[in-house]
Amino acid sequence: MSPARLIDGKLAAAEFRALVKSGVGELVARGHAAPGLAVVLVGDDPASQVYVKNKDKAAHEVGFHVRTLRMAAATPQRELLAVLDELNRDASVHGILVQLPLPRGLDEGAVVAALDPAKDVDGLSARSVAALWMGASGLVPCTPQGCIHLLERVGVKLEGARAVVIGRSQLVGKPLAALLLARHATVTIAHSRTQDLAAVCREADVLVAAVGKPELVRGAWIKPGAAVIDVGINRLADGRLVGDVAFAEALEVAGCITPVPGGVGPMTIAMLLGNTLLSAARRAAVPERELAPWRGEQPAVR
Ligand code: NAP
């Protein structure tokens, strides 16, 4: 069997950012303000600092107004909630992103619940989650949206496909299952208590690993020709970055596969930009599809 086709997330993300940039240009040409994104970083976690810097840079590049608010790790909950309240009320802010995880002592659930769902560009608030499962229009979490975009971009047929998602987090596994289901895949969600995970994976035409365990999924677990999306990002002791899938083994069996790095990762930020543009379009009452052509992909959710 010939090696799997590589799904190039870097290229897909660059193309997507260009679509967002042109949507911003169109919004401004119609006399509206450019989308405003507020990024809130509490504490000094090094990984979060890198993520925030990358988001800030990407948002500037597509023409957003960006406000990055850095707050001390010891910030009391009420102070953080007061900042979010101000951002919720600020009409120039269309998207609010609170970088997670928050330092110990802050209640993430309460912080997410405090966000105006219309500005919740991470799609984590209860209203966004309900909208996703009910097929209402909301903001969809970025990483799962990125996975779907990659699958559709390379022409993987989701309707009728057997899809297995390993991982059931609010951030990735659960919303991705909802998106696959909406596209008429038959979806299994696997997790740490799943019996005989290898056998479950072997059933999958579309296999997504969102676990956080280096190279957990072996080549022998993959159905020949399957589409494999590796969400995991794991730093090994020797400094190498690997996914949740044993890439070299999987390459021999899969039909197509995302690399790590350069697969799902770049799509997450691109989708964050897309969500912020959507939020600005909705506020300006401009039909979404006129600014965001990728919205044409959205199926009617059942
Ligand atoms: P998470 O909240 O820790 O969830 C991990 C999930 O994996 C849980 O549902 C857990 O099951 C399941 N799991 C753990 N060990 C397992 C095992 N041995 N077999 C089967 N399932 C197992 O993680 P997350 O936030 O979803 O992130 C998952 C991975 O994706 C991480 O590596 C993260 O860094 C990466 N990530 C990447 C991006 C990106 O942009 N590329 C974005 C977000 C996350 P239980 O529920 O039973 O505990």
Side-chain angles (χ1 to χ4, degrees):
M1 206 172 158
S2 53
R5 172 177 177 192
L6 272 190
I7 303 176
D8 187 341
K10 264 191 179 166
L11 178 66
E15 285 176 8
F16 193 88
R17 291 195 305 270
L19 287 180
V20 173
K21 190 171 183 172
S22 100
V24 172
E26 180 62 28
L27 184 69
V28 172
R30 294 182 187 204
H32 301 286
L37 175 66
V39 183
V40 181
L41 173 61
V42 188
D44 42 24
D45 175 65
S48 292
Q49 304 224 25
V50 173
Y51 292 140
V52 164
K53 202 174 116 217
N54 292 343
K55 288 170 184 172
D56 184 296
K57 180 168 172 271
H60 272 110
E61 280 171 6
V62 294
F64 289 178
H65 292 300
V66 191
R67 270 173 75 186
T68 299
L69 294 96
R70 294 172 200 278
M71 304 176 77
T75 301
Q77 175 98 358
R78 69 183 140 65
E79 207 175 296
L80 177 56
L81 294 181
V83 167
L84 297 180
D85 185 47
E86 187 205 315
L87 294 171
N88 281 342
R89 283 186 285 108
D90 184 338
S92 70
V93 172
H94 303 96
I96 307 170
L97 182 140
V98 180
Q99 185 63 45
L100 302 177
L102 291 170
R104 227 174 309 159
L106 291 170
D107 177 350
E108 271 182 18
V111 167
V112 169
L115 295 173
D116 175 350
K119 299 188 180 187
D120 167 31
V121 281
D122 263 340
L124 295 176
S125 69
R127 210 167 90 188
S128 307
V129 175
L132 177 62
W133 284 97
M134 294 171 78
S137 89
L139 291 168
V140 176
C142 303
T143 302
Q145 213 185 140
C147 295
I148 294 289
H149 186 83
L150 290 176
L151 286 166
E152 289 181 336
R153 188 172 178 277
V154 295
V156 172
K157 189 170 181 284
L158 297 177
E159 185 171 338
R162 294 289 302 264
V164 172
V165 179
I166 321 173
R168 55 175 164 181
S169 69
Q170 301 289 353
L171 193 64
V172 189
K174 283 184 190 168
L176 183 55
L179 292 172
L180 288 163
L181 191 61
R183 285 156 179 80
H184 314 294
T186 302
V187 184
T188 299
I189 308 178
H191 46 77
S192 66
R193 321 280 167 90
T194 296
Q195 303 283 318
D196 199 354
L197 183 60
V200 173
C201 291
R202 259 181 236 118
E203 299 265 298
D205 304 307
V206 177
L207 178 63
V208 184
V211 183
K213 299 258 182 276
E215 302 179 333
L216 172 79
V217 176
R218 311 310 307 187
W221 298 19
I222 296 170
K223 180 175 175 177
V228 178
I229 301 288
D230 191 351
V231 181
I233 304 177
N234 309 287
R235 176 80 60 190
L236 299 183
D238 62 9
R240 271 189 312 131
L241 213 55
V242 297
D244 290 341
V245 178
F247 184 74
E249 293 176 18
L251 206 54
E252 300 302 317
V253 195
C256 57
I257 184 168
T258 55
V260 176
V264 175
M267 291 307 296
T268 297
I269 295 184
M271 295 296 151
L272 167 76
L273 303 176
N275 275 352
T276 307
L277 176 63
L278 278 186
S279 170
R282 287 171 186 167
R283 172 76 65 75
V286 174
E288 286 171 14
R289 285 181 194 192
E290 292 178 15
L291 300 183
W294 65 90
R295 293 293 288 171
E297 296 168 2
Q298 307 304 311
V301 178
R302 283 158 192 267

